[in-house]
Every structure is written in structure tokens, then in C-alpha cells.
Amino acid sequence: MDYTAKLDDALNKLHEEGRYRTFIDIEREKGNFPHAMWTRPDGDKQPITVWCGNDYLGMGQHPVVLAAMHEAVDATGAGSGGTRNISGTTVYHKRLEAELADLHRKEAALLFTSAYIANDATLSTLPKLFPGLIIYSDELNHASMIEGVRRNGGAKRIFRHNDAAHLRELLAADDPAAPKLIAFESVYSMDGDFGPIEEICDLADEFGALTYIDEVHAVGMYGPRGGGVTERDNLAHRIDIINGTLAKAYGVMGGYIAASAKMCDAIRSYAPGFIFTTSLPPAVAAGAAASVAHLKQDQELREQHQTQAKILKLRLKGLGLPIIDHGSHIVPVIVGNPVHTKLMSDMLLEGFGIYVQPINFPTVPRGTERLRFTPSPVHGPEEMDKLVKALDELWSHCALNRADMSA
């Protein structure tokens, strides 16, 4: 076999479909979020404003977080030195897990190197703990949840997105005695819509199922202490396992689950994705713990974040742009064509110093390609004006039909 030719074929297919993904070199400026420097292909540097980052609240450069990380680096050095089972558990990891357990009012929390690994490792391990487990998964769940469910070797049922009636049909069709788990999200990151948490919890109670929720795009940003949509809606006590991230609102890195002490202990003891992975550096754990603790007290920052999202959506609607608005902080503008989406992204970057990454298949279904904006509390009036004017100009320049998004 000509292996190189096969690689060329695979890559050329992406180029032909207009969904080949490129990295751009960004240098974030400490204390100047959301501004950064872009190293252009010719080597020159250009100032840009980041409009697609997941550092939703700017905590990645918050003085409280940086001070905690500096202190931990000075005290412990760089890496953790091992897995959690072999020399890689420090006071910083334990402190962070205690903060996270308290955040969700759970008995315990378990730290992973990312929320992707937390989802994958947990969902793929649960059938080992509950033989015969059937997992009911929302069709738009994150890739990490899909992978965990796929790999676990157990039975699975896929219910239509946010369709509690379909979920009920699937639950009712299975053996009442079989162990069951419903896996879903609180905020779906591509459309920004909310999961029907209370309805799903009611079904879980009725059919004796465990509940597993991904709060990755909600922790830090919703609820009086940042515990997510489940805290905002006073439903966290009805969720058995909460998955969250430290890499978005908290501005650092890592993922976790929060659950009962026995659940966390069992996952810790059986999940290969936890057992065989080097733990997060102590400085990262320290910074994350400081961020979680700070945001438990900073409701004003959450309110500013929601206000900025509402303003941006209102202004884009005023231009007649096809945005999706489910009331969350995520602002998707549907372009509907991978080539046009990439063109818009490139023109915004090169002509206006505005960075927003195109979102194409398989992240979103074909025909729904989009630019996904994530305003933060520090995207001020000047940045907002510049973005709105640029989009208005480019939408007309690219001759995109606002009704069907075809050229």
C-alpha cells in the first residue's frame, strides 16, 4: 500500500469539502484579554481580538489565579511526578477536589486531565460497575460522551435531542429491572440551548435510572456560586454525576466529576483513563482551585457576562443576521456553507483583526456551518462596535443570501 498517497487522499478530501482546519499562532497578552498577537504566515505580527475563546470570563489571566499558580510553582516545581496512584497526588489536587465537591454540594469530586477524559473514562467504566447497564444518550451529546458510551461495550439508546417524550418511549421499552443511566448536557455548546433537566430527572425517578450531566459550558457561569444550570435551577441534588471543566469559565485546565464518595471511589479504582494518566501539574491544580473559589463569590462577573451576550445577540439580530438564540451565553451565526464560513473567518482575521474560528462538520451537521462567538465581560463597547461593523460589511460583501445562505 502507498501509505503517503492514502494520507494525501484523506487530507485532500477535507480541502475539497472546505473543512480542512488550520491553526493560527496566537500569543495571549497577560492582563489584556481578549486581545492577543497573531503571527501571520509571513512572520509579521498583527494585533487581534479573540472572539471564539472558551476562557469565557477571562479568568485565565485573573490575578488571583496567577498568584496561586506562581506560589505553587515556587513551592513544588513544574510537574506532578506521576499518576494519582503513584506520587502524583498533592495537597493541591486534594484542595481542588474539595472545592469542586463543595461547588456542587456533592460528597466528593474526582479530578482528570480534561473534561473529555472525565466523560470518556467515566462513561466507559460505569458498565463494569453496573453489569447490564443501559445508557440513554442525547443525540447531540459531546464527542467525549459519545466515545465513552461507544467504548463501554454495554447497551445504549440514543434519544432525539432534548426530546423527553422519545426518552420516555425508550426507557419504557426496556426491562424495568435493568440498570439504567441517562446522559445529557445542561448547555449544548454549538447551538447554546439548554437540556430539559427537570423533565429528565423526573423520568430517571420514574424508571429508576441514574443521571449524568455534562455542565462543561455552564460551570462558573450559571448559578449563585457558579455551580452550573443545575445549581441555578436547584436541581443539582437530583443529578448523580456532574461532569465539568476547569478549562473554560475557570480559565485553566482539567476536568472532573462530582458525585457520591462511593461513586468517585469506584471510578477512581476502575477507570483506566484515570489510573494510568499522569496527574495535572500542582500549579495548574492550584490555579484552578483559586479560580473556583473566587467565582463562588463573584456573581457580578457572571451578570456582566450574560449582559454582554445579550447585547451582542441584540445587535446582530438588528443587522438581520441568522443567529441562534436560546438564552445562553453562546452566540452562533449560521453561514451554512463550509467554504463561505472559512472565507468569512479569514476576512475577519486579515482585514479587521477579529479572530473567530469556523465551525464545520463533524462538529456541527452539514449545512449548519457557523461562526460561533463567545463574548466575555471584557469585550467592551469598542470591541463590540468593531465586530458588528465588520460583520455587517462582510455579510454584504460576500453576497450571502440571508434567507437560504447560498451564494
Side-chain angles (χ1 to χ4, degrees):
M1 176 180 285
D2 187 340
Y3 295 103
T4 300
K6 289 296 183 182
L7 294 175
D8 286 338
D9 290 343
L11 293 171
N12 287 336
K13 181 180 179 182
L14 295 178
H15 282 289
E16 290 167 2
E17 294 179 0
R19 59 187 185 92
Y20 178 78
R21 303 183 183 194
T22 59
F23 297 147
I24 74 168
D25 296 333
I26 296 174
E27 183 179 349
R28 284 160 57 102
E29 300 176 359
K30 189 179 82 169
N32 200 26
F33 180 82
H35 300 288
M37 293 299 295
W38 168 43
T39 302
R40 300 172 61 96
D42 60 10
D44 290 342
K45 292 193 174 184
Q46 176 181 332
I48 62 171
T49 302
V50 178
W51 274 98
C52 59
N54 284 335
D55 188 357
Y56 288 128
L57 303 178
M59 291 301 293
Q61 301 187 16
H62 196 285
V64 168
V65 175
L66 299 184
M69 295 185 74
H70 280 297
E71 180 182 343
V73 165
D74 290 341
T76 69
S80 68
T83 66
R84 288 293 298 275
N85 291 320
I86 305 175
S87 82
T89 295
T90 70
V91 293
Y92 300 99
H93 297 87
K94 299 299 288 184
R95 186 180 303 158
L96 174 54
E97 287 175 336
E99 285 284 1
L100 293 168
D102 172 75
L103 174 67
H104 296 292
R105 307 297 192 192
K106 297 296 184 186
E107 292 179 345
L110 189 63
L111 183 61
F112 293 80
T113 51
S114 73
Y116 187 107
I117 298 299
N119 271 333
D120 185 9
T122 303
L123 289 168
S124 63
T125 298
L126 286 170
K128 300 176 185 176
L129 306 174
F130 306 105
L133 180 70
I134 303 171
I135 295 182
Y136 303 80
S137 178
D138 188 289
E139 67 177 341
L140 293 188
N141 276 342
H142 189 266
S144 58
M145 301 174 75
I146 294 171
E147 183 66 11
V149 173
R150 184 190 68 80
R151 287 198 312 107
N152 68 32
K156 65 177 182 293
R157 312 281 186 261
I158 309 302
F159 61 93
R160 291 187 292 270
H161 179 53
N162 281 349
D163 191 336
H166 186 219
L167 173 59
R168 165 182 277 281
E169 292 176 11
L170 296 175
L171 287 163
D174 282 319
D175 181 356
K180 302 173 178 67
L181 178 138
I182 306 169
F184 63 110
E185 300 186 34
S186 61
V187 179
Y188 289 84
S189 62
M190 289 299 110
D191 284 353
D193 54 332
F194 294 92
I197 303 174
E198 187 169 16
E199 290 180 79
I200 289 177
C201 288
D202 288 344
L203 288 173
D205 289 346
E206 180 180 350
F207 290 93
L210 296 171
T211 48
Y212 184 107
I213 194 167
D214 180 310
E215 286 258 41
V216 161
H217 289 274
V219 290
M221 295 172 285
Y222 295 86
R225 301 193 314 148
V229 180
T230 51
E231 183 193 39
R232 183 196 69 180
D233 296 348
N234 194 31
L235 294 169
H237 64 287
R238 301 185 66 185
I239 301 294
D240 294 292
I241 306 173
I242 296 175
N243 169 277
T245 186
L246 303 164
K248 292 181 170 61
Y250 294 117
V252 192
M253 179 185 176
Y256 64 90
I257 60 168
S260 69
K262 286 185 178 180
M263 181 69 77
C264 289
D265 192 20
I267 298 298
R268 176 189 72 82
S269 301
Y270 280 87
F274 178 87
I275 296 170
F276 299 106
T277 300
T278 299
S279 65
L280 287 173
V284 172
S291 187
V292 173
H294 176 84
L295 285 177
K296 287 177 181 177
Q297 311 297 326
D298 200 342
Q299 180 64 11
E300 182 180 353
L301 193 61
R302 277 186 283 280
E303 292 173 354
Q304 291 172 357
H305 182 225
Q306 292 293 325
T307 297
Q308 291 299 88
K310 290 175 182 176
I311 291 172
L312 179 58
K313 285 187 281 193
L314 184 64
R315 295 191 64 179
L316 295 184
K317 286 178 183 178
L319 296 179
L321 300 188
I323 78 164
I324 299 175
D325 184 5
H326 290 288
S328 72
H329 60 283
I330 294 168
V331 187
V333 176
I334 302 299
V335 181
N337 177 292
V339 175
H340 291 159
T341 308
K342 181 66 165 62
L343 178 63
M344 289 280 290
S345 173
D346 290 345
M347 294 176 75
L348 284 168
L349 181 64
E350 295 169 8
F352 299 89
I354 292 170
Y355 174 44
V356 55
Q357 188 73 9
I359 307 293
N360 297 321
F361 179 83
T363 306
V364 295
R366 296 182 192 274
T368 69
E369 292 83 3
R370 67 198 62 189
L371 300 174
R372 176 180 171 273
F373 298 93
T374 54
S376 77
V378 289
H379 282 94
E382 182 177 344
E383 289 86 2
M384 191 88 71
D385 286 344
K386 186 175 180 181
L387 172 63
V388 171
K389 290 175 182 177
L391 282 173
D392 191 25
E393 178 179 333
L394 289 183
W395 211 262
S396 301
H397 177 76
C398 293
L400 297 177
N401 184 290
R402 296 181 181 179
D404 62 13
M405 306 315 302
S406 61

